[in-house]
Amino acid sequence: RPSSVVRTRLVQVPGSAGRTTVEYDAHGVPYITAQVESDMFFTQGLVAAEYRLWQLDFITRLVGGRLSEIFGAPLLELDVEFRRMQFAEVCAENVRNTPRDYTQVIQHYIDGVNTFLEECRHNSSLVPAEYARYDAPLPQNFTVASTFFVLKAMSSGLSHNADLEVGNEQLLSQLGQQRFDFFQSRDPRQPTIIGPYKHSTYTAGLKPGPPGRSAADRVRTAAGPEVR
């Protein structure tokens, strides 16, 4: 549990008699404790949506090629680019090829996300400010495939420099490891504009339980509230 708890919240998971709590530290980082594993994932989705509903919606629209529905013509070309990648079809195939015990875990998470989304539909004060800022409608309910959309966005972002790797490989073969490392190194005399990232201060972290306990232990890959 966090070293200092400033707020504790009890979460009632629909259809469950288990006890689930969310503790918040001084930085607002949530820590989830649940008696039932499925309740833990439900609550993780609920809390993630409370913090990041707009981000979840934005990424899903980005990968699905639907940002121009909100932002208009300036992003139409980007939508066309993503639609050419056919991520919707790819993600649907990913879901079909994923073992059922994995998708069941993801569904619990999605149920939590959609629970908060439903609360937003009935209470406008919960709706993130971006929806009013961009005059955007709330999304339809998320699905298991939505999580694969997020993974595609992450993989696309992390591979944006893939075209440089061929050149790097050629340089490495011509220069050798030592000279290549020197070529790629940063000049320590250059000023640092943005200070070092303090992981322990800002991240929510995700701590899986002992290995091999369940299928859920093998799929805890997304950043989110710390869970136990």
Side-chain angles (χ1 to χ4, degrees):
R1 60 180 301 171
S3 56
S4 61
V5 177
V6 298
R7 182 164 69 94
T8 301
R9 163 189 177 191
L10 181 65
V11 176
Q12 182 58 55
V13 178
S16 174
R19 178 181 173 84
T20 302
T21 60
V22 184
E23 298 172 313
Y24 297 85
D25 67 13
H27 300 287
V29 178
Y31 295 76
I32 298 170
T33 303
Q35 293 177 324
V36 181
E37 190 172 65
S38 59
D39 294 354
M40 177 187 68
F41 282 101
F42 174 94
T43 306
Q44 187 185 13
L46 177 70
V47 173
E50 290 174 347
Y51 277 77
R52 300 192 176 196
L53 179 62
W54 170 256
Q55 183 180 6
L56 293 171
D57 187 11
F58 182 91
I59 292 176
T60 302
R61 290 178 181 274
L62 168 68
V63 176
R66 298 176 52 231
L67 283 180
S68 58
E69 294 176 1
I70 295 176
F71 300 104
L75 292 186
L76 182 58
E77 184 175 344
L78 181 63
D79 280 353
V80 171
E81 179 181 344
F82 270 94
R83 291 204 182 198
R84 283 175 178 158
M85 298 180 189
Q86 299 182 325
F87 278 140
E89 292 81 0
V90 171
C91 289
E93 184 68 16
N94 290 157
V95 173
R96 288 193 291 270
N97 292 334
T98 300
R100 181 170 174 77
D101 55 348
Y102 280 50
T103 57
Q104 285 179 330
V105 168
I106 297 172
Q107 186 62 60
H108 295 312
Y109 177 91
I110 292 298
D111 288 344
V113 172
N114 288 334
T115 293
F116 178 70
L117 179 57
E118 186 64 22
E119 292 175 359
C120 287
R121 293 179 180 131
H122 293 90
N123 185 352
S124 60
S125 68
L126 299 176
V127 178
E130 291 87 349
Y131 286 95
R133 172 67 178 81
Y134 300 113
D135 193 25
L138 286 172
Q140 298 295 315
N141 280 3
F142 293 89
T143 66
V144 170
S146 302
T147 61
F148 287 88
F149 274 52
V150 174
L151 290 175
K152 300 306 179 189
M154 293 173 62
S155 63
S156 178
L158 293 172
S159 63
H160 72 280
N161 65 338
D163 56 328
L164 300 179
E165 294 307 308
V166 175
N168 286 337
E169 178 63 28
Q170 292 175 343
L171 279 175
L172 178 61
S173 63
Q174 294 175 17
L175 301 178
Q177 188 69 56
Q178 185 175 359
R179 292 183 65 194
F180 177 80
D181 289 344
F182 177 79
F183 174 76
Q184 296 283 9
S185 64
R186 177 183 178 276
D187 186 345
R189 295 170 297 180
Q190 292 179 347
T192 300
I193 299 175
I194 301 177
Y197 175 67
K198 298 179 180 179
H199 179 86
S200 61
T201 301
Y202 298 107
T203 187
L206 190 64
K207 293 184 178 179
R213 272 180 46 202
S214 69
D217 288 322
R218 302 192 297 273
V219 297
R220 297 176 193 177
T221 57
E226 184 165 349
V227 294
R228 294 189 296 280

